[in-house]
Amino acid sequence: PLLCQFGHYEILRHVLIHCPNFLRHTLEVDEDSFNQILPLESLPFILKDFLNYETRLQLRIIRWTLQHKQSKILFENPSTLQKSLFQKNTSPEDTVEKDKLLLDLLSYMVRGKESNYLSLLVTWCLENNNIGHLTTSFSKDNLMPLLYLSPQALALMVNKCGSLNPTLIEAIKRSFIANNTQFNISLIEELIVLKKFQLFILCGKEIVTFFLDNSSSLSAVERDGVLSIFERLLISLMGQKKSLVLDFVEEISKKLPEEPDIYLLKIITILAEQLQVNGKKLKKETRFRQALQRLVELEHNGIANHPNEAHYENQEGATKTQFSGEYVQTPKGFNDLKISDTPNEKIQEINE
């Protein structure tokens, strides 16, 4: 403190460059002086021994790093930062400071659109049940910051931040329309794991657009990924209540064109197969029969229009499988249909 009082910052900075552990002796230095003496070039070395410092010094270093826009260095060792921000058994004063610092970190990452770091902070908050920090940092009236989150962080917020759910739902709708294919595949996977199936109905229009309207702009690998997650979603939905399954099937089937291309034919085949294999409990439902009738007709139209292309193969180039009058599971789960199958024959088969 005495050296700082007389403005000898260069001396202290020189000492810290050659001996970063000397930082332990700066606890009594005021904030302005601390900002003057901490050398940026020593920060990586200081952070290596970070958890061995007192909590108050850890928080001071984090704030200094934030003020000097060094988030990249700060997050180079995320597990260390997480332990520091969410450590237990701190003094009341340190707890208050830690809460303020966490809010400042969230705000800084939102303003800077630091997607990866923001997603990490959100995930850590949720894992440690710090929900209040998130409801404070994310506004109900502004969904844009939510669009910076990773699929995992966004899905976890839906699971735990109930007060933000209307805004979160709008963010997910926006994602299905605007985000890239792999992001949305990952988002669907996360929501399935968390069993948030009602969301697929609340976002019905948007998820149908994602599955049906973008095939022409997708690569072969992306199309395989979309078809795979579509099948996984259907299988998961089949275990839910009847109305939810039927709502989803109707939302998809009413958007399908009368003469589907080869990609949409695969979508239709997956739908028809899952209704056949897992839809027995629905067969007495009028909505089920109507949806099934339309799917089988569309499937027949599609095969008739693409007789030379109605062969589906897995990503590794597995041998194509043909069959007559019934569905046979292939390595990827797609099935070839003999063109001789008629809609009425298929309806009768599935309803038996």
Side-chain angles (χ1 to χ4, degrees):
L2 186 61
L3 286 172
C4 290
Q5 183 179 344
F6 289 100
H8 296 305
Y9 300 125
E10 285 296 330
I11 296 175
L12 291 168
R13 194 178 298 117
H14 182 77
V15 171
L16 285 170
I17 288 172
H18 292 87
C19 184
N21 282 334
F22 184 77
L23 194 67
R24 301 175 187 276
H25 303 289
T26 64
L27 270 174
E28 302 307 318
V29 172
D30 62 72
E31 292 293 334
D32 289 339
S33 296
F34 187 82
N35 287 338
Q36 292 287 334
I37 65 174
L38 187 60
L40 180 60
E41 56 267 39
S42 296
L43 188 57
F45 300 100
I46 289 169
L47 291 176
K48 284 182 180 179
D49 202 34
F50 190 60
L51 292 178
N52 292 324
Y53 297 138
E54 293 184 35
T55 301
R56 185 154 59 98
L57 185 53
Q58 291 178 28
L59 299 178
R60 177 177 269 193
I61 293 169
I62 294 172
R63 187 169 292 285
W64 183 93
T65 306
L66 196 61
Q67 289 171 345
H68 289 77
K69 301 180 180 180
Q70 297 298 316
S71 55
K72 183 177 179 180
I73 296 177
L74 185 62
F75 280 86
E76 279 184 353
N77 192 337
S79 62
T80 296
L81 179 60
Q82 181 183 14
K83 288 175 184 177
S84 176
L85 288 172
F86 297 96
Q87 61 185 301
K88 309 298 181 183
N89 303 319
T90 56
S91 69
E93 294 82 4
D94 288 343
T95 299
V96 170
E97 174 58 24
K98 197 163 48 172
D99 286 342
K100 290 179 181 177
L101 182 57
L102 188 51
L103 287 172
D104 288 343
L105 277 167
L106 286 165
S107 177
Y108 179 85
M109 300 308 164
V110 167
R111 290 196 310 273
K113 302 179 183 180
E114 299 272 9
S115 176
N116 291 337
Y117 303 148
L118 178 61
S119 296
L120 271 178
L121 287 171
V122 167
T123 302
W124 295 343
C125 284
L126 293 169
E127 289 174 349
N128 289 274
N129 206 33
N130 287 61
I131 310 300
H133 292 79
L134 300 181
T135 54
T136 299
S137 299
F138 292 92
S139 168
K140 295 179 182 179
D141 303 318
N142 182 14
L143 62 81
M144 285 305 298
L146 295 170
L147 300 178
Y148 307 145
L149 296 176
S150 67
Q152 180 192 32
L154 184 56
L156 283 173
M157 283 192 72
V158 172
N159 197 44
K160 292 191 174 184
C161 298
S163 64
L164 290 174
N165 270 354
T167 310
L168 287 163
I169 290 169
E170 290 304 313
I172 290 173
K173 287 181 178 180
R174 181 76 65 86
S175 175
F176 285 135
I177 297 298
N179 262 330
N180 66 65
T181 301
Q182 187 53 55
F183 183 100
N184 286 323
I185 289 173
S186 298
L187 178 58
I188 294 169
E189 287 175 339
E190 295 292 342
L191 292 171
I192 290 173
V193 169
L194 295 171
K195 302 185 185 302
K196 293 297 177 181
F197 299 112
Q198 189 63 38
L199 263 174
F200 298 113
I201 304 303
L202 295 173
C203 304
K205 178 181 177 182
E206 289 76 16
I207 197 170
V208 167
T209 297
F210 170 68
F211 282 128
L212 303 187
D213 289 357
N214 300 316
S215 62
S216 61
S217 63
L218 301 180
S219 67
V221 172
E222 287 174 328
R223 281 196 295 272
D224 283 343
V226 172
L227 290 167
S228 178
I229 195 63
F230 178 71
E231 184 171 29
R232 182 180 169 189
L233 174 57
L234 270 178
I235 292 171
S236 300
L237 284 174
M238 287 299 174
Q240 308 308 307
K241 61 183 182 180
K242 294 179 182 179
S243 61
L244 193 150
V245 179
L246 290 171
D247 286 347
F248 184 78
V249 171
E250 283 183 341
E251 193 73 44
I252 291 281
S253 61
K254 71 184 182 184
K255 186 76 182 292
L256 290 164
E258 292 299 325
E259 296 185 356
D261 60 21
I262 193 65
Y263 168 81
L264 293 179
L265 179 57
K266 294 178 183 181
I267 289 283
I268 292 166
T269 300
I270 294 170
L271 266 172
E273 176 183 342
Q274 288 306 318
L275 289 175
Q276 180 197 26
V277 174
N278 298 309
K280 303 286 187 183
K281 66 179 182 179
L282 303 171
K283 67 180 183 179
K284 294 182 180 179
E285 301 285 337
T286 302
R287 294 167 65 197
F288 169 80
R289 290 180 173 276
Q290 291 172 343
L292 184 59
Q293 175 71 45
R294 174 164 170 75
L295 287 174
V296 172
E297 289 173 354
L298 292 175
E299 183 179 47
H300 191 265
N301 292 344
I303 294 172
N305 291 330
H306 303 280
N308 298 321
E309 298 181 71
H311 298 283
Y312 310 147
E313 53 189 61
N314 66 7
Q315 287 178 334
E316 294 75 29
T319 303
K320 296 168 184 177
T321 305
Q322 289 190 335
F323 54 91
S324 174
E326 64 180 14
Y327 289 94
V328 177
Q329 188 74 17
T330 66
K332 186 168 176 57
F334 298 146
N335 305 280
D336 295 332
L337 289 167
K338 284 188 67 178
I339 196 168
S340 58
D341 290 335
T342 66
N344 289 337
E345 288 171 347
K346 296 300 295 178
I347 287 285
Q348 182 179 358
E349 171 193 322
I350 294 173
N351 286 339
E352 285 175 351

